Amino acid sequence: MINKKGSRYVKVDPWCIIEENFDKSNMRVLESLFTVSNGYIGTRGYFDELFTGDTHIGTYVAGVFEEIYEKPSYKGVPNRTQFIVNNVNWLYTRIIADGEELDLNHSNFSEYKRVLDLKKGILTREFIWHTKKGLNLKLKFERFISMTQNNVCCQKIEITLLNRSGKVKIISGVDFSHKHRIYDTNYWERLFKSNENDYISIGCKTIKTNKISIANFKIEASKTCEQGIVEGEKIISKEMVFDIEENETVEIEKVVVINSFDRLNENLQSENGKLCQSVFGQYSYSKLKQEHERFWERMWEEVDIEIGQDSENQQGIRFCIFQMLQAYSGMQQVVAGIGAKGLSGEVYNGNSFWDSEVYCLPFYLFTNIDAAKKLLEFRYYTLPQAQQRAKELDLKGAFYPIATIDGTESCTLWQHANLQLQVSTAVAYGLYHYYIVTKDEKFLFEKGTEILIEVCRMLESRCQLGQKDGKYGFFGVMGPDEFHMMVNNDFYTNYMAKKTFEFTIEGLKMLKTKDEKLYNEITRKTELESSEIERWADIAKNMNIIQDPQSKVFEQHEGYFNLPHIELSTIPEDQIPIYKNWAYDRIFRYDMIKQPAVLLCMLLFSCDFTFEEKKANYDYYDLRCIHESSLSPSIHSILACELGYYDKAYEYFRYATRLDLDNYNRNTEEGLHITSLAAAWLNIVYGFGGMRSDTVPIKLAPIIPDNWSYYSFRIKYNRAVLKIVVDPQYVTIKKLKGADVELMVYDKTYTITEDEIKIPIKKRR
Ligand code: BGC
């Protein structure tokens, strides 16, 4: 069991994240929570105006990164880290009244409130500022990043003078001068500034990677004012001085277009000009807002989860869904994966991990299929980099990087970068899962086949025969449990490889039958030989999967059962997290595991294992797992639901929906735990809902926690939107939109139409 304490930063509300008590010491946690994004641009919830207190001003644009090199060391060990760069602060604002500059670190203010409205996707903040000379100004800030226009961000400021008239100066612009927080460096060189059009622009490039970002903005004010331009080296802004009457409200609307280019080219400015003309020509702030709100309204109709009589988890799960949908939308034109922190912070460098396919993909498969496809396309477009990486490791085929932005390996820790094969098998699993759920043969055949062939080639070249047992396995690897490295015959790695071979062979057979021409083209392109397929079948058949015949427990890796045991409950609280408090090599000497590996396999391939096997392995590994990754508790909770351990299931679930909202891991300030947000959704849909999607048709087997009066979830499946309501007596299912679909509920198949089906709830064993 986990013993972590959360803190409450925001008010519990079903649809909003509300901060009412201003506390300077929490600013960075709240900035993470108030992130707004559209998958291409992400902006932390920092203040628009000057704030001299502790803050992390951070805006990130997918695919815009810098890199640093270390000294080259051994062959195959990466020496370059890529990191997403802190991009333009498009909210840059300064407000001066009565000769005083607004700064919530020092200014006197009251009635402060910041609200992220999840239903509409709008962040607002308001308060009354009392200047030293006695002027009271009501200020309201509003922002959103358009979910319908990839490059567009919107900011609005409303100022009302409450007790007399006065002059207010507003400076508003775009600023590239912020430092990357982790490396304490500004990575931008200015290329140009321009004020010749009816909008204002500044273009900058990163120092080493030559990535270009151009920020363009247009401001509309509700009242005429004196105007000018204020410029600095990497900043350009508009200065406006307003004479405002008592009780008069002035509104300032700013639309910002952020454009990025992969490399310098002569047409940058003209291409940027075209985009600006199209956006500024067609859209006003209010039109953009209307479109954006309509997007969210439609989205929620299709993806909402309701939880009866549990307001904390209700808020928590909607927060998770909202952040997931805005972290990766499928709309972005750049080839990019989803970062472990989305676009909400710098930790993990904006890199994508195996989390994408194993944890995030299932969420998108049932909520936003475009995003799911885009995630897999990222792996298709970066296949050449994975092939290059395999060569560096003396392997054939394609070895997908453990951490990456552009498809190259960005992790300089050799034990992860060289020993973890789990991204390659996750990509293969992602393709399999995507196909099972969508039946999109075109995508599987045209893009998936090549990936699968190359991953199998890598696995074949990495796989070896054990001298004693004469079986195939992987030697010197690290599985998902990062508390054991350089192990042999890791269960997860062996099993995932076996399955990868098997479904690649199946896929190739299917392609040959259905489209022989394409099959021939692909085999010619990849130079695939039939002898390779035979070898893969042989390896899959003779893969070493170690299971204790009596207990039915799969050994996590060869020798694991012999490792010294440590009772997790005896580890003092102040030594947790272990990875920060124990000498690195000490961690590897016990049977304590960081996160599930054997149990994860049992969820990914839910039909391959018997109930008894699942139970035996759960009972064994649950006692040994310290859950030091936020990816961990939800998997235990999902299996606990299946096994009938309802109290445990709920206990693990407690951390899921509010991990960031209540800052359980004490590091939300660094950014959101995107994978764990996805895992919270999995926890409800796959856990309490009992969904399994590795079979056709998908299965449901709902249960309900004792303290919930009901819960409901919606999934998009086979061109239909389904609503599933679970109460203590019944599971009620109906189709909200689209074609009729087949579904299995407690092992019986039903056709789901607009007419409600009511099925009595079944307690599991
Ligand atoms: C986990 C990995 C995960 C990474 C990024 C680590 O703590 O152990 O499995 O890929 O975080 O989320």
Side-chain angles (χ1 to χ4, degrees):
M1 280 282 127
I2 322 166
N3 189 16
K4 290 181 183 173
K5 287 189 188 67
S7 308
R8 200 43 60 84
Y9 300 84
V10 291
K11 204 171 136 184
V12 174
D13 179 279
W15 279 107
C16 290
I17 308 301
I18 304 168
E19 175 207 11
E20 278 175 337
N21 304 318
F22 183 85
D23 178 353
K24 283 186 217 177
S25 61
N26 294 335
M27 276 307 113
R28 286 195 289 129
V29 173
L30 288 154
E31 285 166 5
S32 296
L33 298 181
F34 288 123
T35 294
V36 289
S37 172
N38 66 0
Y40 175 58
I41 305 163
T43 294
R44 291 170 55 79
Y46 58 86
F47 293 167
D48 311 52
E49 75 282 10
L50 175 73
F51 179 64
T52 54
D54 183 32
T55 176
H56 171 176
I57 295 182
T59 285
Y60 305 92
V61 175
V64 180
F65 61 87
E66 254 302 4
E67 51 194 24
I68 15 181
Y69 287 81
E70 290 169 16
K71 266 201 302 202
S73 57
Y74 297 104
K75 178 168 189 260
V77 176
N79 70 332
R80 187 198 50 182
T81 304
Q82 292 186 330
F83 55 93
I84 197 156
V85 133
N86 195 354
N87 215 295
V88 63
N89 174 12
W90 57 276
L91 292 159
Y92 175 84
T93 302
R94 295 292 180 263
I95 302 180
I96 296 124
D98 269 354
E100 186 182 329
E101 178 159 8
L102 173 67
D103 168 7
L104 293 195
N105 196 27
H106 300 296
S107 302
N108 186 14
F109 63 97
S110 61
E111 296 178 41
Y112 173 92
K113 190 172 186 179
R114 179 158 46 169
V115 179
L116 176 60
D117 184 336
L118 306 174
K119 207 173 205 166
K120 298 186 168 152
I122 307 274
L123 176 63
T124 54
R125 185 167 52 98
E126 56 184 58
F127 53 87
I128 297 173
W129 174 26
H130 312 280
T131 67
K132 290 195 179 89
K133 292 188 184 154
L135 181 60
N136 295 336
L137 302 91
K138 184 167 170 49
L139 288 159
K140 184 169 177 195
F141 299 83
E142 182 175 275
R143 76 176 71 157
F144 63 95
I145 299 186
S146 171
M147 288 299 286
T148 59
Q149 301 298 320
N150 194 35
N151 305 69
V152 179
C153 310
C154 297
Q155 176 198 30
K156 181 173 177 178
I157 304 172
E158 284 175 34
I159 304 174
T160 313
L161 298 205
L162 297 180
N163 57 341
R164 62 168 157 86
S165 60
K167 252 191 199 327
V168 180
K169 192 201 279 184
I170 313 270
I171 302 168
S172 176
V174 287
D175 180 8
F176 274 97
S177 59
H178 292 284
K179 288 180 175 176
H180 191 79
R181 190 174 176 93
I182 293 184
Y183 298 120
D184 196 26
T185 304
N186 177 275
Y187 288 101
W188 294 105
E189 275 173 8
R190 201 191 68 212
L191 291 175
F192 67 88
K193 277 193 277 191
S194 119
N195 180 22
E196 290 141 24
N197 307 300
D198 67 340
Y199 54 87
I200 298 170
S201 310
I202 178 166
C204 288
K205 80 166 199 55
T206 54
I207 297 165
K208 284 208 186 101
T209 47
N210 287 325
K211 303 282 174 201
I212 322 294
S213 267
I214 306 176
N216 315 272
F217 70 96
K218 195 171 170 177
I219 293 180
E220 303 276 352
S222 63
K223 186 173 189 179
T224 49
C225 58
E226 286 170 40
Q227 295 192 23
I229 296 287
V230 189
E231 297 180 52
E233 169 60 16
K234 297 176 193 173
I235 177 170
I236 186 158
S237 46
K238 200 166 174 176
E239 181 181 285
M240 294 157 281
V241 181
F242 295 95
D243 281 311
I244 310 180
E245 301 300 322
E246 184 177 345
N247 285 325
E248 187 190 9
T249 301
V250 170
E251 295 180 350
I252 298 140
E253 294 175 341
K254 178 160 121 194
V255 175
V256 186
V257 173
I258 300 178
N259 212 345
S260 68
F261 295 86
D262 229 15
R263 56 188 69 83
L264 278 168
N265 77 62
E266 294 162 3
N267 304 326
L268 279 184
Q269 293 207 43
S270 69
E271 282 177 33
N272 177 59
K274 273 188 217 145
L275 178 70
C276 289
Q277 245 119 42
S278 120
V279 175
F280 294 131
Q282 281 182 66
Y283 289 99
S284 61
Y285 181 94
S286 53
K287 191 169 169 196
L288 285 160
K289 186 174 168 190
Q290 217 178 39
E291 244 189 44
H292 177 78
E293 289 185 342
R294 217 175 298 135
F295 168 91
W296 278 111
E297 194 187 320
R298 257 184 291 135
M299 202 50 155
W300 282 115
E301 279 168 18
E302 299 179 349
V303 304
D304 190 24
I305 290 183
E306 290 170 287
I307 303 179
Q309 278 170 12
D310 186 344
S311 46
E312 295 185 0
N313 281 313
Q314 175 65 81
Q315 180 185 42
I317 191 63
R318 286 201 174 120
F319 176 75
C320 296
I321 296 174
F322 176 80
Q323 287 295 355
M324 285 302 290
L325 290 171
Q326 55 159 16
Y328 198 79
S329 63
M331 168 175 74
Q332 62 276 35
Q333 284 120 22
V334 291
V335 176
I338 180 169
K341 298 270 166 210
L343 296 167
S344 69
E346 295 170 6
V347 166
Y348 283 125
N349 292 330
N351 282 198
S352 304
F353 296 76
W354 69 307
D355 314 24
S356 301
E357 286 78 14
V358 173
Y359 290 80
C360 302
L361 188 75
F363 170 83
Y364 295 118
L365 272 179
F366 292 97
T367 56
N368 180 356
I369 199 73
D370 292 342
K373 195 165 169 179
K374 198 94 186 181
L375 272 182
L376 292 170
E377 275 175 344
F378 170 67
R379 301 300 190 179
Y380 177 72
Y381 291 118
T382 56
L383 179 61
Q385 290 91 313
Q387 287 169 309
Q388 177 55 33
R389 178 73 187 137
K391 287 199 184 93
E392 288 163 17
L393 293 166
D394 297 338
L395 299 171
K396 293 192 181 135
F399 189 104
Y400 279 94
I402 192 73
T404 190
I405 293 186
D406 70 346
T408 57
E409 183 56 82
S410 175
C411 173
T412 52
L413 299 169
W414 72 274
Q415 62 278 35
H416 297 272
N418 294 29
L419 306 185
Q420 292 196 289
L421 279 62
Q422 77 218 38
V423 185
S424 306
T425 53
V427 172
Y429 180 80
L431 286 166
Y432 165 79
H433 196 188
Y434 173 84
Y435 171 71
I436 293 269
V437 174
T438 63
K439 291 282 165 300
D440 182 352
E441 282 178 356
K442 188 172 154 52
F443 184 79
L444 176 73
F445 293 159
E446 290 177 5
K447 296 196 167 140
T449 317
E450 247 179 281
I451 299 182
L452 290 171
I453 292 171
E454 295 302 323
V455 168
C456 282
R457 282 183 167 151
M458 181 279 288
L459 293 171
E460 183 193 340
S461 64
R462 181 69 164 79
C463 184
Q464 290 167 289
L465 268 180
Q467 279 196 60
K468 275 197 193 154
D469 52 36
K471 289 197 169 166
Y472 289 103
F474 294 86
F475 296 82
V477 297
M478 186 196 270
D481 165 27
E482 297 178 347
F483 280 4
H484 295 96
M485 69 151 125
M486 283 298 268
V487 300
N488 302 329
N489 286 313
D490 171 67
F491 172 84
Y492 181 91
T493 311
N494 285 13
Y495 201 81
M496 292 299 282
K498 175 184 163 69
K499 297 299 281 190
T500 303
F501 289 130
E502 286 171 358
F503 56 72
T504 301
I505 297 170
E506 271 306 298
L508 285 167
K509 265 193 213 147
M510 202 163 75
L511 172 59
K512 197 171 179 183
T513 325
K514 296 205 170 177
D515 188 345
E516 195 160 1
K517 191 165 158 263
L518 183 62
Y519 177 84
N520 290 335
E521 261 170 48
I522 293 179
T523 47
R524 212 171 308 123
K525 182 175 173 199
T526 56
E527 296 175 9
L528 180 71
E529 288 172 15
S530 53
S531 58
E532 290 185 86
I533 305 179
E534 282 159 27
R535 284 200 302 274
W536 298 343
D538 180 50
I539 299 172
K541 199 163 149 228
N542 294 301
M543 186 64 78
N544 197 358
I545 304 293
I546 312 171
Q547 184 176 27
D548 179 70
Q550 259 89 50
S551 68
K552 301 275 180 251
V553 176
F554 292 100
E555 189 168 24
Q556 188 177 277
H557 59 259
E558 215 167 352
Y560 174 86
F561 286 152
N562 194 31
L563 285 170
H565 179 63
I566 180 163
E567 267 310 310
L568 301 184
S569 57
T570 63
I571 302 176
E573 220 179 292
D574 62 0
Q575 291 183 21
I576 291 177
I578 294 288
Y579 77 96
K580 279 196 176 154
N581 292 297
W582 282 23
Y584 188 51
D585 63 296
R586 183 177 162 202
I587 293 172
F588 300 94
R589 295 180 219 146
Y590 297 92
D591 65 351
M592 168 176 64
I593 64 178
K594 179 180 177 187
Q595 64 201 87
V598 175
L599 297 186
L600 181 59
C601 253
M602 297 187 152
L603 172 64
L604 299 183
F605 294 103
S606 66
C607 305
D608 288 9
F609 305 93
T610 63
F611 181 86
E612 283 65 34
E613 280 177 331
K614 288 181 188 172
K615 186 172 179 321
N617 282 275
Y618 183 92
D619 292 346
Y620 185 85
Y621 286 108
D622 191 47
L623 293 174
R624 290 162 175 81
C625 184
I626 193 157
H627 301 286
E628 221 152 78
S629 161
S630 63
L631 280 59
S632 189
S634 293
I635 303 301
H636 279 240
S637 177
I638 293 170
L639 280 168
C641 288
E642 183 174 341
L643 297 169
Y645 295 144
Y646 299 146
D647 292 345
K648 269 200 169 175
Y650 195 77
E651 175 60 23
Y652 281 128
F653 171 72
R654 270 192 337 105
Y655 302 94
T657 65
R658 301 192 64 91
L659 182 103
D660 279 324
L661 279 183
D662 293 344
N663 198 8
Y664 277 112
N665 279 7
R666 300 271 153 241
N667 57 6
T668 296
E669 63 181 45
E670 296 171 349
L672 299 168
H673 295 80
I674 290 295
T675 317
S676 142
L677 302 175
W681 182 90
L682 297 180
N683 207 151
I684 293 188
V685 176
Y686 286 78
F688 302 127
M691 186 166 93
R692 293 294 178 270
S693 50
D694 55 319
T695 58
V696 185
I698 58 170
K699 289 183 186 171
L700 292 175
I703 58 159
I704 182 163
D706 290 343
N707 53 334
W708 291 358
S709 55
Y710 80 97
Y711 68 99
S712 73
F713 57 94
R714 294 160 199 224
I715 49 169
K716 294 192 198 172
Y717 175 54
N718 266 349
R719 298 191 308 276
V721 177
L722 307 180
K723 182 171 180 188
I724 297 103
V725 185
V726 186
D727 65 38
Q729 267 87 44
Y730 293 102
V731 180
T732 311
I733 308 180
K734 72 169 184 182
K735 183 188 75 181
L736 299 180
K737 274 188 200 169
D740 294 352
V741 286
E742 290 210 326
L743 209 65
M744 259 177 123
V745 187
Y746 303 123
D747 297 329
K748 190 170 163 213
T749 306
Y750 296 85
T751 302
I752 311 297
T753 67
E754 271 118 8
D755 300 327
E756 236 173 52
I757 298 184
K758 253 184 162 30
I759 304 161
I761 202 152
K762 239 189 215 169
K763 278 248 169 198
R764 300 206 203 138
R765 305 164 210 224

